[in-house]
């Protein structure tokens, strides 16, 4: 049975998250990739509104240029629907392989499955899709990126130590429905669960964006003036929250302790300045690993389902050596 775009969307909308893919027969096995000197690679970016995304795009473009490969680049501008359309356009342009940074876990499933049905190998880059709906090694080649649960745990463990096991925390979540938001929330909660006096007093999405982070923090802090800490799922939201704290006459790093994730220049400087206590890296430099994985796959290697990046932990004690490479 060939799944058409219409039936796939109907199934997705009808909630095949609940039933999984078990009952459906797909048109093809995981597509193979012919060995060639140069490839036409599609890179479907989710948005370009923060330094992490810009560093990721630059890394892809640099690597393509270094190898003399053609890069078909799209920017979904924060819209999962546009990102699905971007992948469809790449399929129509007959790219050899697709690198997809899925904005959210469920809405990008049609893009993954349509690439498979078109015989185009696809890698999920940096963010994952819902594993009950599409699986690495079966529906797409592999996931390449960070372990977001581990990042959340690293953040929670190190932060609990930094604040002596006691904090009333405002959490700024990433984009609702995205794998980093879901997993960073889980990892952090698991880590602070060991400390009875580490409590999340409010938690809301700031959509991984600086100004949204500022606005959401301002509102949550007004409702919870007892808060003593901030957990930002990314640096842009944390920097927005720092602006809100300073506007409210509070001193970040004293009145409100902060733990954040990414490793941008601004956040690394904020660690050096004593405003952020704990910073967990999320490495955006995917180009070399993504492109060499394409070559490995064309060589016939069976890739691991998840090719996981190693992320570092920074505090005031070791931030100086990281600052020159911060993005
Ligand atoms: O998926 C990785 C996250 O997405 C980064 O933490 C964030 O800055 C980006 O938008």
């Amino acid at each position: 049975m060939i799944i058409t775009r219409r039936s796939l969307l109907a199934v997705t909308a009808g909630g095949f998250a609940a039933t999984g893919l078990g009952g459906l027969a797909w048109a093809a096995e995981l597509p193979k990739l012919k060995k060639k000197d140069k490839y036409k690679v599609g890179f479907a970016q989710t948005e370009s509104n923060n330094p992490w995304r810009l560093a990721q795009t630059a890394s892809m473009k640099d690597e393509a240029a270094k190898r003399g490969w053609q890069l078909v680049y799209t920017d979904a501008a924060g819209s999962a629907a546009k990102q699905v359309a971007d992948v469809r356009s790449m399929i129509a342009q007959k790219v050899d392989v697709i690198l997809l940074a899925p904005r959210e876990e469920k809405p990008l499933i049609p893009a993954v499955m349509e690439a498979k049905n078109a015989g185009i190998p696809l890698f999920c880059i940096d963010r994952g899709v819902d594993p009950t709906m599409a699986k690495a090694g079966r529906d797409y080649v592999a996931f390449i990126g960070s372990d977001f649960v581990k990042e959340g745990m690293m953040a929670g463990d190190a932060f609990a130590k930094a604040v002596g096991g006691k904090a009333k925390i405002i959490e700024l979540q990433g984009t609702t429905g995205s794998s980093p938001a879901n997993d960073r929330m889980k990892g952090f909660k698991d880590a602070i669960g060991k400390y009875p006096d580490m409590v999340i007093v409010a938690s809301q999405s700031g959509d991984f964006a600086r100004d949204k982070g500022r606005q959401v923090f301002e509102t949550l802090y007004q409702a919870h003036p007892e808060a003593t800490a901030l957990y930002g799922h990314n640096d842009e939201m944390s920097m927005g929250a720092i602006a809100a704290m300073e506007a409210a006459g509070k001193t970040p790093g004293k009145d409100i302790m902060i733990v954040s994730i990414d490793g941008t220049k601004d956040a690394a400087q904020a660690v050096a300045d004593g405003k952020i206590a704990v910073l967990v890296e999320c490495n955006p430099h995917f180009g070399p690993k993504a492109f060499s994985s394409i070559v490995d796959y064309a060589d016939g290697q069976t890739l691991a389902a998840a090719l996981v990046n190693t992320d570092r932990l920074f505090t005031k004690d070791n931030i100086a050596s990281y600052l020159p490479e911060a993005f």
Side-chain angles (χ1 to χ4, degrees):
M1 169 183 160
I2 303 264
I3 302 295
T4 63
R5 179 182 302 178
R6 183 170 299 179
S7 65
L8 178 61
L9 286 173
V11 170
T12 307
F16 84 15
T19 57
L21 293 171
L24 300 173
W26 295 94
E29 296 294 303
L30 190 61
K32 300 265 181 288
L33 184 61
K34 262 206 212 130
K35 266 180 94 139
K36 289 198 213 172
D37 286 342
K38 293 181 194 304
Y39 292 97
K40 183 173 171 183
V41 178
F43 172 46
Q45 178 59 285
T46 164
E47 57 212 347
S48 299
N49 63 345
N50 79 45
W52 194 98
R53 292 281 147 205
L54 297 178
Q56 187 188 42
T57 299
S59 175
M60 295 296 196
K61 287 188 173 169
D62 288 353
E63 190 64 22
K66 205 168 109 191
R67 291 172 184 262
W69 295 8
Q70 189 185 344
L71 190 73
V72 177
Y73 168 72
T74 55
D75 175 355
S79 157
K82 177 171 184 316
Q83 201 172 26
V84 173
D86 289 344
V87 170
R88 284 183 182 142
S89 148
M90 288 173 184
I91 294 170
Q93 291 175 64
K94 298 193 188 315
V95 297
D96 295 307
V97 56
I98 294 173
L99 303 175
L100 168 67
R103 178 170 160 81
E104 290 149 59
E105 288 191 294
K106 287 184 180 31
L108 267 298
I109 294 291
V112 172
M113 300 313 291
E114 287 179 32
K116 181 187 182 189
N117 276 1
I120 300 175
L122 178 145
F123 291 75
C124 283
I125 298 292
D126 106 65
R127 292 187 186 177
V129 289
D130 186 328
T132 66
M133 300 166 93
K135 275 200 192 320
R138 183 187 72 186
D139 302 313
Y140 60 96
V141 181
F143 164 77
I144 306 176
S146 292
D147 179 337
F148 295 132
V149 175
K150 192 170 169 197
E151 286 179 348
M153 290 189 91
M154 283 164 74
D157 280 328
F159 193 56
K161 282 190 192 105
V163 298
K166 199 172 172 170
K168 293 192 174 76
I169 305 161
I170 289 178
E171 178 182 39
L172 288 179
Q173 300 169 24
T175 298
T176 305
S178 70
S179 59
N182 293 339
D183 294 353
R184 287 173 183 168
M185 194 154 48
K186 180 185 180 326
F188 188 81
K189 264 195 193 143
D190 287 352
I192 65 166
K194 294 173 269 180
Y195 302 86
D197 291 330
M198 299 280 293
V199 190
I200 296 176
V201 293
S203 179
Q204 198 177 309
S205 174
D207 204 15
F208 282 131
R210 187 180 285 224
D211 201 49
K212 191 80 191 287
R214 183 188 61 74
Q215 289 170 35
V216 173
F217 182 84
E218 194 176 81
T219 307
L220 295 181
Y221 190 49
Q222 272 165 15
H224 294 275
E226 77 279 15
T228 60
L230 164 73
Y231 169 36
H233 283 197
N234 85 342
D235 289 346
E236 281 296 276
M237 294 188 297
S238 299
M239 294 311 297
I242 285 175
M245 288 170 206
E246 288 173 340
K250 299 291 171 188
T251 307
K254 278 205 176 111
D255 300 318
I256 300 172
M257 298 290 281
I258 303 170
V259 52
S260 186
I261 300 180
D262 267 358
T264 65
K265 269 196 179 64
D266 285 352
Q269 190 55 52
V271 175
D273 295 343
K275 296 182 179 183
I276 294 180
V278 173
L279 180 62
V280 175
E281 177 185 35
C282 181
N283 187 337
H285 308 297
F286 280 82
K289 195 163 176 177
F291 282 60
S292 66
S293 299
I294 293 172
V295 174
D296 292 346
Y297 188 61
D299 279 346
Q301 289 183 32
T302 306
L303 303 186
L307 303 163
V308 181
N309 296 339
T310 308
D311 293 315
R312 295 166 288 178
L313 183 78
F314 302 113
T315 63
K316 203 162 186 177
D317 294 340
N318 64 350
I319 197 67
S321 60
Y322 174 68
L323 263 170
E325 59 172 293
F327 47 89

